């Protein structure tokens, strides 16, 4: 823990100051742009953002929901980061999440009556195994055959989602009356306790915290993490240095998929108590955005997740109170990414221009000196 | 047995191939656009988002001007803007193509739903009257020939434009100086610079062409195929188009054939819905995409091994 705090506050992250500055400016500009859109459409932006902040932090329930969303965002963001650091772009987290949720729901329902101390870890394992195994397919295809993993993972999203929807409406549909679709309910004993009444914040936050610490430690403190980083940065170099690059890439994808599966399990055990069709509303893509904004830095992902979770939860309140569609926040988020992506290029262009100007001045000065 | 045959013919009939042509069209259009950026050395995974925005603007344009033609024009204009926007980041700012592509897709999903809800107050789907859809073209002599007529006649105008574009794109890419420069921009930008052509300019043009064609693909989806806009209606077709480009090695004719293959799987899924639960048949085109990509990868691996062997012999 001390090391973690040290890392967060001491010199190792100091050089990232300019990054944090440009991130803050990007976020500010994007929020202003959001306000301009509200103005154009005839809403009062102060009222809109006011409702947003109040919705996210205004009540214990709001805070609880925001924290719960933080868990989902941080976990999916970390999942993206683990794979991306090894040079694998896992866009298929949504499918891995669905399969993890489905596996956990099936095992959870099968083990009804078993002691939770045995059953819950088994469900955890089932969810992680399902997500990890599913993620290993595109990883192997990429490493062995060079099949673009972005395309395969996206295709596998649709496959997993349709498959789970089919299962929960067909062969695995609950026999309970009055439920349109969904699998058999898990034993109520297994359900995570809610930490704040009527909010969605559950004990899963503790599991998530452990996973986050493990991922951070793995990525920045272990030799494997170092090899992983190098593999992502320079595949050929790492291969010739004798790293088992293929294995590193595949393992990173499996870890990534396992974390996604776990997020699916949290939804089942924390909230719904069974697998339902709408178990995830593109949760993984939100997490991906967060990971990309923080350039796959695990600590940064956890910290900024709180901010984006507040935006997300607040936006629903904003939609209900002021009537501004909550999708505006998705727009604001993607604008932040565009700004961050542009920032790199703009500062590079400015530097180049400055260098050219300097060279010109020196040339002129030298010329003047000669004459 | 006769039951099986009856079931077989409810799936495999002229309708299947008619559906194939119709479902392939958006993939062909997006694929043609994407092969330009691919030749120019840009990995464009934002095509799905471009399609979605194209579909949305086409419907909105049609709705406000009460004419499908204006819808298409608006979609083309937005396509140019999207191409320039994408180019600005990828070419000028040299941002990560992957990040920009993903961000563009998420942006498209957000902005279309947001604007749909605020402009029309509708959630989910916004239907237009059928009369506002794209006009169909009937070719006078074709209606005398039974099957050919059902297949090739009375399609929406974009279907014919799309077939025409396949040939035009082939000629442009392989038979014109522009195509030569386009391919050079991707493979050897230095060579272009040495003859005084800016590779960036060529890349921008490719990006704009891609934007236009992707938006046309979207317009066909929302005006030709259906006459409505529904949330996330591109349904990963942009990525399937990307797979077609890989499979067809960026050759317009081969990309067209690959898209037909996916159109066939898509149509097959639609036709099978009478027999197998819809959620399972919906998987078919996506599974087929992965399957085809694996085959393409195996082929190229075998080819490179063969050439290695030949080199060793020499």
């Amino acid at each position: 823990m001390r090391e973690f705090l040290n890392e967060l506050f001491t010199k190792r992250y100091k050089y990232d100051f300019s990054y944090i500055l440009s991130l803050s400016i990007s976020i500010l500009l994007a929020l202003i742009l959001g306000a301009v859109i509200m103005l154009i459409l005839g809403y009062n932006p102060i009222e809109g953002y006011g409702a947003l902040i109040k919705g996210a932090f205004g009540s214990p329930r709001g805070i609880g929901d925001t924290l719960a969303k933080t868990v989902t965002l941080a976990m999916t963001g970390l999942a993206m980061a683990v794979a991306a650091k090894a040079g694998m772009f896992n866009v298929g987290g949504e499918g891995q999440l669905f399969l993890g949720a489905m596996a956990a729901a099936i095992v959870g329902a099968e083990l009804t009556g078993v002691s939770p101390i045995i059953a819950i870890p088994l469900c955890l394992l089932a969810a992680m195994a399902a997500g990890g195994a599913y993620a290993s397919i595109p990883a192997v295809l990429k490493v062995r055959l060079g099949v673009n993993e972005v395309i395969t993972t996206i295709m596998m999203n649709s496959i997993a989602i349709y498959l789970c929807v089919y299962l929960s409406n067909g062969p695995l549909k609950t026999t309970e009356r009055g439920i349109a679709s969904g699998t058999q309910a898990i034993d109520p004993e297994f359900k995570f306790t809610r930490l704040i009444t009527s909010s969605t914040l559950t004990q899963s936050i503790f599991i998530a915290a452990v996973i986050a610490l493990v991922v951070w430690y793995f990525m920045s403190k272990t030799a494997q993490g170092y090899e992983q980083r190098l593999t992502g940065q320079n595949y050929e170099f790492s291969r010739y240095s004798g790293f088992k690059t293929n294995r590193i890439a595949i393992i990173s994808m499996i870890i990534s998929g396992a974390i996604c599966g776990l997020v699916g399990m949290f939804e089942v055990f924390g909230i719904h108590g069974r697998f339902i069709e709408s178990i995830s509303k593109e949760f993984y893509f939100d997490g991906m955005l967060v990971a990309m904004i923080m350039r796959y830095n695990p600590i940064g992902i956890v910290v900024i997740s709180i901010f984006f979770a507040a935006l997300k939860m607040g936006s629903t309140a904003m939609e209900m109170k002021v009537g501004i569609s909550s999708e505006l926040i998705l727009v604001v988020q993607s604008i932040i990414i565009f700004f961050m992506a542009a920032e790199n290029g703009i500062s590079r262009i400015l530097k180049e221009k400055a260098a050219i100007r300097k060279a010109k001045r020196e040339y002129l000065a030298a010329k003047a000196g000669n004459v | 047995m006769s039951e099986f045959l009856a079931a077989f013919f409810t799936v495999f009939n002229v309708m299947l191939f008619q559906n194939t042509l119709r479902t392939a069209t958006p993939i062909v259009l997006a694929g043609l656009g994407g092969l330009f950026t691919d030749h120019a050395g840009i990995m464009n995974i934002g095509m799905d988002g471009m399609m979605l925005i194209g579909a949305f603007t086409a419907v909105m344009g049609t709705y406000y001007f009460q004419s499908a033609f204006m819808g298409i024009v608006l979609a083309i204009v937005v396509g140019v803007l999207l191409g320039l926007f994408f180019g600005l980041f990828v070419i000028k700012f040299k941002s990560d193509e992957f990040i920009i592509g993903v961000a563009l897709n998420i942006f498209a999903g957000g902005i279309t739903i947001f604007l749909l809800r605020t402009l029309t107050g509708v959630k989910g789907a916004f239907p237009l009257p059928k009369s506002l859809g794209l006009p169909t073209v009937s070719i006078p002599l074709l209606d005398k020939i039974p099957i050919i007529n059902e297949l090739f006649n009375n399609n929406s105008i974009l279907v014919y434009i799309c077939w025409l574009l396949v040939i035009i794109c082939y000629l442009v890419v392989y038979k014109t100086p522009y195509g030569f420069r386009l391919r050079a921009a991707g493979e050897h930008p230095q060579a272009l610079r040495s003859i005084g052509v800016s590779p960036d300019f060529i890349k921008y043009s490719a990006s704009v062409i891609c934007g236009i064609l992707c938006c046309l693909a979207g317009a066909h989806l929302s005006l030709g195929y259906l006459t409505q806009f529904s949330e996330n209606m591109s349904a990963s077709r942009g990525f399937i188009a990307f797979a077609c480009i890989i499979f067809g090695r960026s050759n317009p004719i081969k990309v067209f054939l690959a898209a037909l293959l996916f159109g066939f799987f898509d149509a097959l899924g639609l036709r099978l819905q009478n027999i197998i639960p819809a959620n399972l048949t919906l998987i078919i085109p996506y599974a087929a995409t992965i399957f085809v990509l694996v085959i393409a990868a195996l082929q190229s691996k075998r080819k490179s091994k063969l050439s290695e062997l030949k080199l060793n012999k020499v």
Side-chain angles (χ1 to χ4, degrees), chain B residues 35-36 39 169-176 179-180 182-183 252:
Chain B
L35 68 87
F36 277 89
H39 274 303
C169 286
Y170 178 78
L171 294 176
V172 167
V173 171
Y174 292 107
K175 305 285 176 205
T176 62
F180 178 73
L182 175 73
R183 283 177 289 145

Side-chain angles (χ1 to χ4, degrees), chain B:
Chain B
M1 189 62 197
S2 64
E3 245 173 62
F4 173 77
L5 273 182
F8 184 81
F9 282 116
T10 53
V11 176
F12 290 92
N13 53 20
V14 183
M15 277 292 279
L16 174 67
F17 295 99
Q18 204 185 357
N19 283 348
T20 299
L21 290 180
R22 289 179 59 196
T23 49
T25 302
I27 301 174
V28 175
L29 284 170
L32 288 178
L35 68 87
F36 277 89
T37 43
D38 194 64
H39 274 303
I42 302 169
M43 182 181 95
N44 184 359
I45 58 165
M47 288 194 292
D48 202 56
M50 290 180 174
M51 271 175 87
L52 193 59
I53 293 177
F56 178 76
T57 43
V59 162
M60 283 297 125
T62 309
Y63 174 66
Y64 280 113
F65 296 103
Q66 289 293 308
S67 118
F69 177 73
M70 284 310 290
I72 298 282
V73 170
L74 201 67
I76 290 175
V77 171
V78 169
V80 172
L81 294 177
L82 275 176
L84 288 175
F85 181 77
F86 185 76
L88 178 71
F89 282 93
V90 172
I91 301 158
K92 180 97 181 164
F93 297 150
K94 293 195 173 62
S95 310
D96 191 322
E97 294 156 354
F98 169 77
I99 290 179
I100 294 301
V102 169
L104 190 61
N105 290 330
I106 294 174
F107 174 76
I111 195 89
T112 49
I113 297 176
F114 175 74
L115 287 178
L116 183 73
R117 288 188 187 166
T118 35
L119 292 180
T120 67
V122 173
K123 271 192 177 188
F126 181 67
L128 286 173
K130 271 263 184 292
S131 58
L132 277 178
L134 282 175
T136 55
V137 177
S138 51
I139 304 164
L141 281 175
L142 267 185
D143 52 0
K144 303 280 191 303
I145 320 163
I147 292 173
I148 302 285
N149 178 44
E150 279 173 61
L151 278 182
F152 297 112
N153 209 353
N154 298 322
N155 286 310
S156 102
I157 187 160
L158 263 184
V159 174
Y160 298 105
I161 292 177
C162 158
W163 294 343
L164 206 64
L165 278 173
V166 174
I167 299 163
I168 293 174
C169 286
Y170 178 78
L171 294 176
V172 167
V173 171
Y174 292 107
K175 305 285 176 205
T176 62
Y178 172 77
F180 178 73
R181 285 169 185 175
L182 175 73
R183 283 177 289 145
E187 284 162 22
H188 211 307
Q190 290 300 337
L192 263 191
R193 224 170 267 135
S194 70
I195 59 163
V197 178
S198 151
D200 282 3
F201 176 75
I202 301 285
K203 285 184 179 185
Y204 265 113
S205 69
S207 180
V208 167
I209 293 173
C210 180
I212 293 173
L213 289 175
C214 285
C215 280
L216 275 183
H220 178 264
L221 216 52
S222 63
L223 290 180
Y225 190 53
L226 303 164
T227 38
Q228 67 169 36
F229 177 82
S230 49
E231 293 176 2
N232 293 322
M233 76 182 301
S234 57
S236 301
R237 283 191 182 83
F239 296 102
I240 294 182
F242 192 90
C244 288
I245 296 166
I246 296 176
F247 191 52
R249 288 164 202 280
S250 298
N251 178 326
I253 310 278
K254 287 181 187 166
V255 170
F256 173 64
L257 293 176
L260 278 186
L261 188 67
F262 287 108
F264 174 75
F265 285 121
D266 213 342
L268 187 66
L270 280 176
R271 304 295 307 164
L272 278 172
Q273 280 182 9
N274 302 323
I275 306 167
I276 302 169
N279 283 317
L280 285 183
T281 62
L282 283 170
I283 291 177
I284 294 173
Y286 302 106
T289 307
I290 296 180
F291 187 67
V292 162
L293 278 178
V294 169
I295 290 179
L298 281 173
Q299 265 178 350
S300 69
K301 202 167 190 185
R302 213 183 51 207
K303 252 185 206 161
S304 66
K305 256 194 192 148
L306 270 179
S307 60
E308 240 171 64
L309 281 177
K310 271 181 199 158
L311 278 180
N312 285 345
K313 263 185 196 167
V314 174

Side-chain angles (χ1 to χ4, degrees), chain A residues 94-106:
Chain A
E94 194 74 4
Q96 292 143 21
L97 193 160
F98 265 76
L99 281 186
M102 181 54 95
I106 294 172

Side-chain angles (χ1 to χ4, degrees), chain A residues 3 7 14 47 86 89-90 122 127 142 168 179 208 215 254 263 282 288 298 300 302 305 309 311 338 340 360:
Chain A
E3 211 176 11
E7 183 122 322
K14 233 179 203 164
E47 214 177 298
F89 291 113
N90 179 13
L122 282 178
K142 160 87 172 185
S168 65
I179 286 169
V215 167
I254 292 177
V263 176
E282 307 208 321
M288 245 172 81
V302 174
S305 284
L311 275 188
F338 285 132
M340 291 307 292
K360 233 182 215 167

